[in-house]
Amino acid sequence: RLVFHTQLAHGSPTGRIEGFTNVKELYAKIAEVFDISPTEILFCTLNTHKVDMQKLLGGQIGLEDFIFAHVRGETKEVEVTKTEDALGLTITDNGAGYAFIKRIKEGSIINRLQTVCVGDSIEAINDHSIVGCRHYEVARMLRELPRAQPFTLRLVQPKKAFDMIGQRTRSSKSPGEGRVASGKETLRLRAQGPATLEE
């Protein structure tokens, strides 16, 4: 019996899943472990919690692979005007009803829209729900949209960890504070006395 370890990508305890034969069953097992609906899962990555399309769960899972489930985060609506034939998107789907953005071409129409990100699930085009459509159907719909006519994309971004924590800005308090270590230093923990940083 094969047992796989899983976590929600934005943070959760580790769960154990087994006994699935396809993506829909896998999502159902993950959902059961974390007490969420299988429709909350947008896609899974292997061995990283990051939205890394090189690590996307496809048709195979290694026995040592750790499965991270990326779940629905915020919904956003974006208005796009098609000024060229190609939008600059590569779309894939999770095999369970959600199409999402796998790649955004540098310098493309979509690339110029700061709000659209790799990993965003495409939920609707002009309020027409595309949930349940395969990636090639969604790509065809986008291709067939007329040029120069604005359209609306409803996107769902994957939930991210620590969204509420801002980036730390460099402060001018003391020169040592906030500096990035070279990676060659060690934090030495002691039984008596304070911990020290050593080269």
Side-chain angles (χ1 to χ4, degrees):
R1 286 173 49 184
L2 303 175
V3 177
F4 293 91
H5 291 89
T6 183
Q7 279 184 354
L8 298 178
H10 64 279
S12 74
T14 300
R16 294 162 58 94
I17 50 172
E18 59 185 307
F20 55 89
T21 58
N22 60 39
V23 171
K24 280 190 172 155
E25 287 177 14
L26 166 66
Y27 286 13
K29 295 281 185 185
I30 292 172
E32 198 179 301
V33 166
F34 297 114
D35 198 25
I36 60 173
S37 164
T39 59
E40 288 290 298
I41 301 170
L42 297 176
F43 58 88
C44 293
T45 50
L46 299 175
N47 307 316
T48 180
H49 66 281
K50 294 189 172 102
V51 176
D52 182 347
M53 294 297 144
Q54 303 303 311
K55 303 275 180 26
L56 207 56
L57 183 142
Q60 55 194 38
I61 305 173
L63 298 182
E64 299 296 310
D65 283 342
F66 200 108
I67 303 166
F68 287 91
H70 297 259
V71 298
R72 295 173 65 89
E74 286 181 38
T75 301
K76 52 193 175 183
E77 296 232 337
V78 186
E79 191 166 283
V80 184
T81 302
K82 201 169 167 182
T83 53
E84 303 161 31
D85 287 334
L87 291 170
L89 285 179
T90 303
I91 299 168
T92 188
D93 65 68
N94 66 4
Y98 288 129
F100 57 94
I101 299 170
K102 184 175 183 179
R103 222 173 285 116
I104 297 175
K105 188 177 174 207
E106 197 80 28
S108 66
I109 296 169
I110 294 294
N111 188 232
R112 292 191 281 272
L113 301 171
Q114 298 297 303
T115 48
V116 182
C117 305
V118 167
D120 286 353
S121 171
I122 303 171
E123 196 171 65
I125 302 170
N126 285 333
D127 286 330
H128 169 75
S129 173
I130 58 142
V131 174
C133 293
R134 296 298 313 262
H135 62 94
Y136 53 85
E137 296 172 297
V138 177
R140 189 187 63 238
M141 286 180 231
L142 290 170
R143 236 188 338 269
E144 289 172 355
L145 289 167
R147 274 175 83 149
Q149 194 174 317
F151 65 93
T152 306
L153 282 178
R154 186 164 63 238
L155 304 168
V156 179
Q157 65 186 35
K159 196 180 258 188
K160 297 183 187 82
F162 310 122
D163 270 352
M164 61 288 183
I165 300 173
Q167 191 86 31
R168 183 160 49 161
T169 55
R170 191 171 282 257
S171 64
S172 55
K173 287 181 208 152
S174 68
E177 217 175 301
R179 73 190 168 121
V180 177
S182 63
K184 301 209 179 357
E185 292 170 309
T186 308
L187 181 63
R188 185 79 59 207
L189 303 173
R190 306 193 185 295
Q192 275 88 36
T196 56
L197 263 183
E198 296 176 2
E199 285 292 327

